[in-house]
Amino acid sequence: MSILEAAKNVFRIEAEALLALAEGVNGDFEKAIRLILSSRGRVVVTGMGKSGLIGQKIASTLASTGTPAFFLHPAEGIHGDLGMIIKGDVVIAISNSGETEEVVRILPIIKRLGADIVAMTGNPSSTLAKSGDVFLDISVKEEACPLGLAPTASTTATLAMGDALAVALLLERGFKAEDFALFHPGGALGKKLILKVEDVMHQGNEVPLVKVGTLMREALFVITSKGLGITGVVDETGAMAGVITDGDLRRALEKGLDIINLPVDDLMSMSPKRIRRTEMAAKALQQMEQFSITSLFVFEDRSSVPVGIIHLHDLLKSGIA
């Protein structure tokens, strides 16, 4: 078997294992979801070896999607860490064979502590399966390892079952993007979901504005001093009438116009792009990319009076772009 054939064979075996897993999902899966949702405690995931590594990922995914969860190493558990489990917790115990010594040894203690057990195993006749309040079958027809020894398809199936639990719980809890962002404030994804335009925009004296009728010599000073390459033009009520950008100035110079003595009305672009202050900052970036611009004036809902301006550099500094 060639290298590419071996790789394709692994993908095929593991894909078939996942499809079989999907076909086998039954009422026990829903029972596990209801058990976790009704719990007053946390979800504790435990497993040894490769199952433990998968269990750590499952616990992390649950925690980041609205289900309080953590991983408990079963070997550490029998040396004191079982004290992490409290009455009302739900323990997801993972073992492909269902007979992993370290996992089996802590099952009676988990019961005595008042926690429920979701048994995730590939052996329905095992000690783990029989000890569980709910049994989730993660059995696979064959491992992708040609020796049938290294956990491959079985660990993929376990991971997929954990993802299925997390997604089902997410949906049942009505978990939203804003909730996800709350748990991910440090990453770029979290910033995109948390930061609003009003959080990063310039406001007050930092906003470049001139009135209708102002001569360009004064407007040029505003554009330069504010350092954003743009100025807004407002009428006597403060409502936005147009904008003048560096690009507008270049085009006017190319036409040979004496821009210094012209009123801003003659050079401004009408109906500039705008955004509400309560919109997500990521949406501002999307608009800038769509229209190939670097600034957006910011408004309150249904108002024509600008309250701020947001520049591409602001989005870069905030980590959005």
Side-chain angles (χ1 to χ4, degrees), residues 177-199 278-282 320:
E178 292 80 5
D179 302 315
F180 186 86
L182 186 63
F183 300 143
H184 298 75
L189 178 60
K191 290 178 181 178
K192 287 183 179 180
L193 295 171
I194 291 177
L195 286 179
K196 294 184 178 181
V197 168
E198 61 188 2
D199 296 323
T278 54
E279 295 281 6
M280 305 307 296
I320 294 293

Side-chain angles (χ1 to χ4, degrees), residues 71-110:
F71 177 78
L72 169 67
H73 196 292
E76 298 294 341
I78 60 178
H79 290 284
D81 282 3
L82 282 171
M84 296 179 179
I85 300 175
I86 61 175
K87 184 176 182 180
D89 284 347
V90 175
V91 177
I92 298 178
I94 307 171
S95 168
N96 188 44
S97 68
E99 300 295 346
T100 304
E101 180 182 358
E102 293 86 350
V103 174
V104 169
R105 285 184 64 182
I106 65 175
L107 295 178
I109 310 301
I110 292 172

Side-chain angles (χ1 to χ4, degrees), residues 30-264:
E30 186 172 357
K31 184 178 178 182
I33 295 298
R34 299 302 172 198
L35 187 66
I36 294 171
L37 288 173
S38 63
S39 168
R40 294 184 179 179
R42 300 79 42 87
V43 171
V44 183
V45 185
T46 189
M48 195 71 188
K50 303 298 188 297
S51 293
L53 294 173
I54 296 298
Q56 291 179 52
K57 193 276 179 185
I58 292 174
S60 178
T61 301
L62 288 169
S64 68
T65 52
T67 298
F70 64 90
F71 177 78
L72 169 67
H73 196 292
E76 298 294 341
I78 60 178
H79 290 284
D81 282 3
L82 282 171
M84 296 179 179
I85 300 175
I86 61 175
K87 184 176 182 180
D89 284 347
V90 175
V91 177
I92 298 178
I94 307 171
S95 168
N96 188 44
S97 68
E99 300 295 346
T100 304
E101 180 182 358
E102 293 86 350
V103 174
V104 169
R105 285 184 64 182
I106 65 175
L107 295 178
I109 310 301
I110 292 172
K111 283 294 188 181
R112 288 180 60 184
L113 290 171
D116 294 311
I117 297 174
V118 174
M120 196 180 292
T121 175
N123 183 359
S125 302
S126 64
T127 302
L128 175 56
K130 293 177 180 178
S131 300
D133 297 280
V134 182
F135 162 57
L136 295 180
D137 189 356
I138 52 169
S139 60
V140 297
K141 182 180 178 181
E142 61 178 321
E143 296 286 8
C145 169
L147 302 178
L149 299 175
T152 45
S154 58
T155 49
T156 300
T158 305
L159 180 60
M161 182 64 79
D163 286 343
L165 287 171
V167 171
L169 288 165
L170 176 155
L171 293 173
E172 287 296 312
R173 294 184 190 279
F175 195 78
K176 298 180 176 61
E178 292 80 5
D179 302 315
F180 186 86
L182 186 63
F183 300 143
H184 298 75
L189 178 60
K191 290 178 181 178
K192 287 183 179 180
L193 295 171
I194 291 177
L195 286 179
K196 294 184 178 181
V197 168
E198 61 188 2
D199 296 323
V200 294
M201 71 181 187
H202 298 272
Q203 51 189 322
N205 292 331
E206 296 180 357
V207 183
L209 293 173
V210 296
K211 292 182 179 180
V212 170
T214 301
L215 293 180
M216 276 304 305
R217 63 167 63 95
E218 297 178 38
L220 282 170
F221 174 77
V222 173
I223 293 174
T224 302
S225 63
K226 302 300 181 182
L228 298 176
I230 190 174
T231 184
V233 181
V234 296
D235 62 21
E236 62 278 0
T237 68
M240 181 70 78
V243 298
I244 297 176
T245 67
D246 288 340
D248 294 322
L249 298 178
R250 286 194 298 272
R251 286 185 287 273
L253 289 171
E254 288 172 358
K255 294 177 181 179
L257 298 178
D258 179 18
I259 62 173
I260 297 298
N261 297 309
L262 288 177
V264 292

Side-chain angles (χ1 to χ4, degrees), residues 271-284:
S271 304
K273 303 302 178 186
R274 52 187 287 165
I275 193 166
R276 296 195 305 273
R277 68 183 301 159
T278 54
E279 295 281 6
M280 305 307 296
K283 185 173 181 180

